[in-house]
Amino acid sequence: MTLSLNDRALELANRLAGDAEALGVAVTTLSNGTRVIDCGAHAPGGFEAGRAFAEICMAGLGSVAYAPLVLDGRWLPGVTVTTDRPAVACLASQYAGWRLDYDDYFAMGSGPGRALIHAEDLYDDLDWDEHASAAVLCLETREPPPAEVATFVAQRAGVAPSALTLLMAPTASVAGGVQIAARVVETALHKLHELDFDVRRVVAGFGSCPLPPVAGDDMAALGRTNDAVLYGGQVHLTVEARDDDDALRDLVQRLPASASSDYGEPFGSVLKGANFDFYKIDPLLFSPAQIRLTSVGSGRSFEAGAVNLEVLERSFWG
């Protein structure tokens, strides 16, 4: 049976909405029937809302848990992410790859609804054909979408507006920080894809990432959440390497954030140096700090990169 990412995510979203009061989320219905679940903008949200947001983003094909991390002797709260369907969970579903820009409203869209919208060439490489009668899209934003925007999203996804669920959380919120830290495996998969590696050969993924302190505004939070992954994220991927250990050894050296020319300063400083233009930043910067690849065929592991506590401390508490 073919998996439906949106059907799986809808079941989790229903569970989140059904426990809204306990989890600190707010559920509203727009005039066109679209359901909006606020996980941290005008609702308090929190750790459980953030964990639910992240798992819905992965269509339930990945698990998120909280754990203390010790990085170079410094204790930090963190998340761990595991998935046995890395390419599907992280790229077909979780990746924030759709710019929702309509009628003066903007948000980055992630989650399984993207697989119905099919606005990215990525899906051709994944060979994923999504079918569902309902759509679930996750938005990184502080502003609730108006009904007109929701209708546009529903039309792009090929579902009725009443069959659309939109989750939202701003960057500067507990839930927002959690769901971005939980993208640590996704960033490694995306880097592999950018380097023309067939991500369908990744058979299992494990990652950990420190949770950044909530920032005072979304721009500052953008810096901290990126730094959490770039300088504190650690990922272990198990891959089918076709008995080519030399290629795997070379590949892993190109994967960590440190392989980028823009590595070394807090992301907020890098963004400022680029005049706040994301497209002037080296796209290969966006990757975990440390990555290990293990070959299923040979059993050998290859590792590159390292945690950079000094930059993390400047970003989080400087």
Side-chain angles (χ1 to χ4, degrees):
M1 180 180 294
T2 301
L3 288 173
S4 171
L5 302 178
N6 284 275
D7 287 347
R8 292 179 59 86
L10 181 61
E11 182 178 346
L12 296 178
N14 289 343
R15 192 180 307 166
L16 173 63
D19 208 15
E21 183 177 0
L23 298 181
V25 305
V27 183
T28 57
T29 302
L30 302 180
S31 59
N32 65 349
T34 294
R35 177 175 60 176
V36 177
I37 306 177
D38 177 359
C39 295
H42 304 287
F47 286 118
E48 281 305 297
R51 187 178 65 82
F53 193 115
E55 292 188 347
I56 290 168
C57 262
M58 290 187 283
L61 294 175
S63 298
V64 178
Y66 295 103
L69 303 179
V70 179
L71 304 179
D72 287 347
R74 183 72 182 261
W75 176 87
L76 294 167
V79 297
T80 61
V81 180
T82 56
T83 174
D84 293 321
R85 297 293 302 272
V88 178
C90 296
L91 295 185
S93 193
Q94 187 184 24
Y95 176 55
W98 188 48
R99 294 169 58 90
L100 173 53
D101 192 352
Y102 180 81
D103 197 21
D104 295 326
Y105 182 86
F106 177 81
M108 289 306 300
S110 61
R114 293 172 34 254
L116 291 171
I117 295 167
H118 215 286
E120 305 153 53
D121 294 339
L122 172 69
Y123 287 99
D124 295 331
D125 297 331
L126 295 175
D127 193 26
W128 186 263
D129 188 18
E130 175 75 358
H131 297 280
S133 58
V136 180
L137 193 71
C138 302
L139 305 178
E140 185 179 344
T141 182
R142 187 169 294 276
E143 297 302 322
E148 295 77 12
V149 171
T151 296
F152 167 73
V153 172
Q155 289 173 343
R156 290 296 307 271
V159 301
S162 59
L164 173 65
T165 294
L166 298 174
L167 281 78
M168 56 176 285
T171 317
S173 66
V174 173
V178 170
Q179 71 94 4
I180 295 173
R183 296 176 183 275
V184 63
V185 176
E186 174 244 289
T187 58
L189 266 289
H190 187 258
K191 183 73 167 283
L192 279 171
H193 181 260
E194 289 294 300
L195 295 175
D196 295 323
F197 184 86
D198 184 355
V199 292
R200 293 172 297 179
R201 291 164 54 191
V202 183
V203 298
F206 174 94
S208 63
C209 185
L211 285 174
V214 176
D217 59 72
D218 289 326
M219 183 57 69
L222 183 66
R224 288 182 176 181
T225 52
N226 274 281
D227 288 333
V229 176
L230 303 179
Y231 297 103
Q234 297 171 292
V235 171
H236 186 158
L237 302 177
T238 303
V239 303
E240 294 177 346
R242 299 174 183 169
D243 298 322
D244 193 350
D245 285 351
D246 289 338
L248 212 60
R249 183 187 296 106
D250 293 340
L251 175 65
V252 78
Q253 298 301 323
R254 304 167 63 195
L255 289 178
S258 56
S260 167
S261 58
D262 283 330
Y263 175 89
E265 290 294 321
F267 185 76
S269 299
V270 175
L271 187 59
K272 183 177 180 180
N275 294 317
F276 299 97
D277 184 348
F278 273 91
Y279 294 99
K280 292 182 179 179
I281 299 173
D282 179 9
L284 297 182
L285 173 66
F286 300 98
S287 188
Q290 188 172 21
I291 299 180
R292 181 184 303 122
L293 303 179
T294 296
S295 166
V296 173
S298 70
R300 299 183 65 189
S301 294
F302 306 94
E303 186 174 313
V307 167
N308 191 327
L309 185 62
E310 186 269 334
V311 176
L312 277 181
E313 289 183 328
R314 287 163 56 195
S315 174
F316 288 4
W317 302 291

